[in-house]
Amino acid sequence: MSGEIDINLNVNGRNHAVRVEPRRTLVDTLREQCGLTGTNAGCEHGVCGACTVLLDGEPVRACLMFAVQAQGRRLRTIEGLAEGDKLHPLQQAFIDHHGLQCGFCTPGFLMLAAGVLERRPDINDDDLREVLSSNLCRCTGYKNILKAVRAAADQMRGAKT
Amino acid sequence: MKPGQFTYHAPRSADEAVAMLAALSPQEGRVIAGGQSLVPAMALRLAMPAHLVDISGVAELARLAVEGDELVIGAAVTHSRFETSAVAGPLGRLLAGVARHIGHYPIRTRGTFCGSIANADPASEWCVVAACLGATMVARSARGTRRVAAADFFQGMLATALASDELLIEVRLPRLAAAARWGFYEFSRRPGDFAVAMALATYQLADGVIAAPRIAVGGVEDRPRRIAAAEAAIVGASPSAALLQAAADAAARAVAPIDEKAETVNYKRDVTRAAVRRALAAAAIAEDQRA
Ligand SMILES: Cc1cc2nc3c(=O)[nH]c(=O)nc-3n(C[C@H](O)[C@H](O)[C@H](O)COP(=O)(O)OP(=O)(O)OC[C@H]3O[C@@H](n4cnc5c(N)ncnc54)[C@H](O)[C@@H]3O)c2cc1C
Ligand code: FES
Ligand code: FES
């Protein structure tokens, strides 16, 4: 049916029962049906990365997926990154290293970096640059984003050993 | 930037997907695989399908396996599966080297190899690989299964031999000989952008001379293809800087860039020349001696 359908989304470990049209993108559904407005919609055609979320642990563009396609998968958004009042090391590092100015791109960069660091805690600088080039930031000039992610990576690795 | 209305279908098997396409393709139905080309086109309302048949969850289509001398790539295999060698030997390393040039990591986690082939963007890296190595495309519909050679498959900008009721069920790539040489070079304005021009070259060295060369160019003409004149320039000779330059010059002359303005045509020829020369120069260095 092109009319509305009932779906269940698992976001940050919580179930969201929502009713959407199939054409509803994942980013719009997260924002408008789930009330999770931390994920931003920028270009809405895959170029900017503002909408990046984790799908079964892997970063994806939430504007290039329909919400119906995310059923039965585990989604993580920026709202799930901190543990209560305790910021995720990436969030703290973005503050400490001035990795944001207006903040529009920040949720996307944080989820991109979180997804990659969980898979590749030992990622080298070249590969990290390549990965971070996925998303656009119009404010910072990227240097401080790179610095912040590098610092968080080192800290997260240190915390584990 | 909001896609138009459609009805969503999630087949659980390849047969079910093919049956759905038979029923729905006459009513503006089509396949969605990774959605990384289709969804942007829908957001821009360049595409307005009435039905989408989502093959991304069909487990049997996620198969990536060696069968005899071929690597078989199922329709749901994503770009990111190739980033670490998907198969032993030079083919796996070639695919890993090329995969990194496709968009960005979050695009590669969703986009599929077969989706790139079915989409037939002239600047698609996988289409160049398919044209260069001589891939076989396997198309299935309710009418049956057929195989199409790369040279017949790509028919122009975003145009292929696939009929609207056909699912590109898998692509078969011939494995490279263990001693095969390969080199890839792509020029794009920023990393992750579509290529201005790219070249892939493979050959073997037999007694110090080049045998079985394959040189393909993408991003320049309306479809990727092997450049016979460039291959002829190096076959039977031993690699040297002058020889590679001759092949690059031959390729630059042979291509017919799609842009109409004279300056763009000349620019595309120049970038083609550089891409072919650099791909051949990379191939000239044995893999175990690369940095
Ligand atoms: C920001 C961005 C940058 C990109 N950069 C590049 C790049 O540098 N190089 C590059 O090559 N690509 C690039 N892409 C496109 C990406 O590689 C796509 O994944 C690919 O072109 C299509 O694969 P898909 O699985 O996403 O197909 P979809 O988007 O799902 O489908 C594309 C088309 O193919 C059809 N189709 C898909 N699978 C099949 C099948 N099995 N049988 C029949 N028809 C099928 C669909 O109906 C549709 O018409 C980029 C995309 C984005 C958003
Ligand atoms: S909003 Fe999704 S990539 Fe820009
Ligand atoms: S901080 Fe403003 S876009 Fe990145």
Side-chain angles (χ1 to χ4, degrees):
Chain A
M1 304 309 99
S2 53
E4 294 190 327
I5 51 177
D6 291 311
I7 61 169
N8 284 299
L9 295 182
N10 179 322
V11 192
N12 303 322
R14 248 196 74 196
N15 185 59
H16 292 257
V18 296
R19 172 167 290 195
V20 289
E21 281 184 281
R23 63 163 163 164
R24 198 78 165 150
T25 59
L26 179 58
V27 63
D28 283 348
T29 306
L30 288 169
R31 289 178 60 84
E32 285 163 39
Q33 269 73 28
C34 304
L36 297 168
T37 53
T39 305
N40 285 332
C43 67
E44 297 185 278
H45 65 288
V47 177
C48 73
C51 63
T52 307
V53 299
L54 301 184
L55 178 76
D56 292 335
E58 289 198 300
V60 299
R61 308 281 215 222
C63 68
L64 297 188
M65 264 189 87
F66 299 107
V68 285
Q69 298 183 286
Q71 290 189 91
R73 315 285 296 264
R74 281 177 304 109
L75 290 163
R76 277 165 65 202
T77 66
I78 188 67
E79 287 87 352
L81 206 53
E83 284 176 41
D85 286 342
K86 192 170 174 285
L87 293 182
H88 186 278
L90 275 164
Q91 291 172 305
Q92 189 59 50
F94 267 61
I95 297 172
D96 296 342
H97 296 270
H98 304 286
L100 68 152
Q101 289 180 27
C102 80
F104 186 82
C105 68
T106 313
F109 269 104
L110 288 170
M111 297 319 287
L112 173 68
V116 167
L117 293 186
E118 279 165 20
R119 261 154 211 264
R120 300 177 60 189
D122 296 316
I123 190 167
N124 66 38
D125 283 345
D126 283 349
D127 287 359
L128 190 59
R129 280 176 82 92
E130 202 270 324
V131 166
L132 293 176
S133 78
S134 307
N135 287 14
L136 296 179
C137 171
R138 304 314 305 266
C139 302
T140 63
Y142 303 100
K143 281 231 150 163
N144 288 350
I145 293 178
L146 201 61
K147 248 193 247 166
V149 177
R150 182 79 270 163
D154 295 343
Q155 198 208 324
M156 287 159 71
R157 247 197 344 254
K160 245 174 238 148
T161 51
Chain B
M1 283 297 176
K2 305 293 177 197
Q5 289 188 340
F6 62 86
T7 307
Y8 178 76
H9 308 265
R12 253 164 279 143
S13 67
D15 284 344
E16 200 185 341
V18 165
M20 283 176 173
L21 275 181
L24 300 171
S25 61
Q27 310 166 44
E28 304 281 314
R30 66 206 269 187
V31 174
I32 182 168
Q36 303 298 292
S37 292
L38 183 56
V39 181
M42 289 172 68
L44 297 162
R45 302 278 174 128
L46 296 170
M48 298 206 39
H51 297 270
L52 286 185
V53 177
D54 184 358
I55 59 166
S56 64
V58 179
E60 67 184 287
L61 294 178
R63 187 165 166 266
L64 177 62
V66 173
E67 274 178 24
D69 286 339
E70 291 177 319
L71 177 66
V72 185
I73 304 164
V77 173
T78 58
H79 305 316
S80 58
R81 297 262 302 271
F82 298 94
E83 284 182 60
T84 47
S85 284
V87 50
L91 179 60
R93 293 189 292 270
L94 182 159
L95 296 171
V98 170
R100 293 188 299 115
H101 291 271
I102 303 173
H104 305 283
Y105 180 55
I107 309 289
R108 299 195 290 265
T109 56
R110 297 282 302 160
T112 65
F113 185 102
C114 290
S116 290
I117 301 293
N119 196 50
D121 190 297
S124 149
E125 287 81 1
W126 292 144
C127 293
V128 173
V129 169
C132 184
L133 303 185
T136 303
M137 323 302 176
V138 184
R140 184 179 296 173
S141 70
R143 298 171 287 127
T145 302
R146 65 187 181 114
R147 292 168 171 245
V148 187
D152 303 320
F153 185 84
F154 298 114
Q155 301 194 337
M157 173 108 70
L158 308 180
T160 71
L162 283 178
S164 62
D165 66 338
E166 279 181 314
L167 177 68
L168 178 60
I169 195 148
E170 63 195 24
V171 171
R172 295 175 159 258
L173 288 179
R175 285 182 75 184
L176 293 173
R181 304 293 188 103
W182 67 273
F184 177 74
Y185 185 83
E186 167 169 337
F187 180 75
S188 53
R189 293 210 175 83
R190 297 171 303 186
D193 280 5
F194 276 100
V196 173
M198 68 184 121
L200 176 63
T202 72
Y203 60 78
Q204 289 177 47
L205 276 183
D207 301 326
V209 301
I210 292 174
R214 289 169 173 266
I215 301 173
V217 168
V220 177
E221 300 185 336
D222 67 352
R223 73 199 83 170
R225 67 173 173 103
R226 286 171 67 182
I227 310 292
E231 294 173 355
I234 60 170
V235 70
S238 54
S240 69
L243 188 77
L244 307 192
Q245 188 62 52
D249 289 339
R253 277 194 302 274
V255 291
I258 32 181
D259 301 80
E260 278 160 15
K261 288 203 222 95
E263 64 268 30
T264 355
V265 168
N266 290 335
Y267 172 66
K268 286 268 187 178
R269 283 194 201 284
D270 283 346
V271 184
T272 300
R273 180 181 294 110
V276 170
R277 186 168 43 76
R278 290 176 192 185
L280 283 169
I285 305 168
E287 283 189 291
D288 54 13
Q289 270 147 49
R290 291 187 192 177

